[in-house]
Amino acid sequence: MTITNTKNVREFAQKRAIRLYPAYLSAVVITFLMVRLYGLEGRGVSSFEALFNIRMLQGFVRIINHVDGAYWSLTVELTFYILIGIILYFGQINNVYALPILWLISSFIIQVANVVSNDHIITKALIYFSIADYSHLFIVGIVFYFIKINLHQKYYIILISSLIYQFAISY
């Protein structure tokens, strides 16, 4: 929905930052202080890690712990935003209806390659950077928006395909 009302990557990034960052920053600070105040063992992070968390990039640096474990999903969300930014940058916004199908097919191929290669480091990296473990969930969100603005049967095929994908990768 955001990219349909966005002119360029910079505007898209600004809209996402304005939406996410104030609440995230507040949550990081409050969580860090409460854990410190109450001395919750096993839940604390260093001051350095807390400062690194403020950047929202800790999920991309495996040695930095999250202030709160629930923030793991931000890495997936930020990766999605990066992928959308790439689409915007290359002017592929007009292909936004075909992209969920291509992404789902690509994710399936990557998952199959990972199984065949017995969790090879390259296929694991592809899964991580393409967020193939979560792509179907983003695709469903995109499709729900498409259905909202233009009810069309082809979108239901994508929803069913995403459901099948979920069961296929849950082996």
Side-chain angles (χ1 to χ4, degrees):
M1 183 174 67
T2 302
I3 61 172
T4 58
N5 300 315
T6 302
K7 297 178 190 100
N8 55 46
V9 176
R10 176 189 235 172
E11 183 182 348
F12 176 72
Q14 287 172 337
K15 286 181 178 183
R16 298 293 80 206
I18 289 168
R19 180 185 159 272
L20 291 176
Y21 200 70
Y24 174 76
L25 180 60
S26 300
V28 167
V29 170
I30 291 168
T31 303
F32 178 74
L33 292 175
M34 289 297 115
V35 169
R36 281 283 169 105
L37 181 66
Y38 291 103
L40 302 172
E41 279 198 42
R43 302 221 183 237
V45 298
S46 70
S47 297
F48 173 78
E49 288 175 312
L51 287 172
F52 199 91
N53 271 247
I54 288 173
R55 296 178 181 178
M56 223 186 263
L57 300 174
Q58 69 277 5
F60 296 105
V61 182
R62 300 279 189 175
I63 59 171
I64 303 291
N65 292 311
H66 295 281
V67 168
D68 186 331
Y71 300 153
W72 71 268
S73 64
L74 286 173
T75 307
V76 175
E77 191 171 349
L78 290 174
T79 303
F80 174 71
Y81 294 151
I82 290 167
L83 294 172
I84 295 299
I86 292 168
I87 291 166
L88 279 170
Y89 180 79
F90 287 107
Q92 296 301 308
I93 191 68
N94 294 332
N95 294 326
V96 76
Y97 295 100
L99 291 171
I101 297 165
L102 293 173
W103 191 15
L104 190 62
I105 291 168
S106 299
S107 294
F108 183 75
I109 291 168
I110 291 168
Q111 294 284 4
V112 169
N114 188 52
V115 170
V116 170
S117 71
N118 200 21
D119 290 334
H120 191 275
I121 190 168
I122 293 173
T123 56
K124 293 299 272 184
L126 284 171
I127 287 172
Y128 182 78
F129 290 110
S130 69
I131 54 175
D133 285 340
Y134 307 100
S135 60
H136 61 295
L137 303 173
F138 287 101
I139 290 165
V140 166
I142 293 167
V143 169
F144 281 147
Y145 175 70
F146 291 163
I147 290 170
K148 178 184 172 192
I149 62 170
N150 179 14
L151 190 60
H152 198 280
Q153 288 182 343
K154 68 182 174 185
Y155 302 129
Y156 292 105
I157 293 168
I158 299 171
L159 286 176
I160 292 167
S161 298
S162 295
L163 185 62
I164 292 168
Y165 180 84
Q166 169 62 42
F167 287 111
I169 69 167
S170 297
Y171 54 86

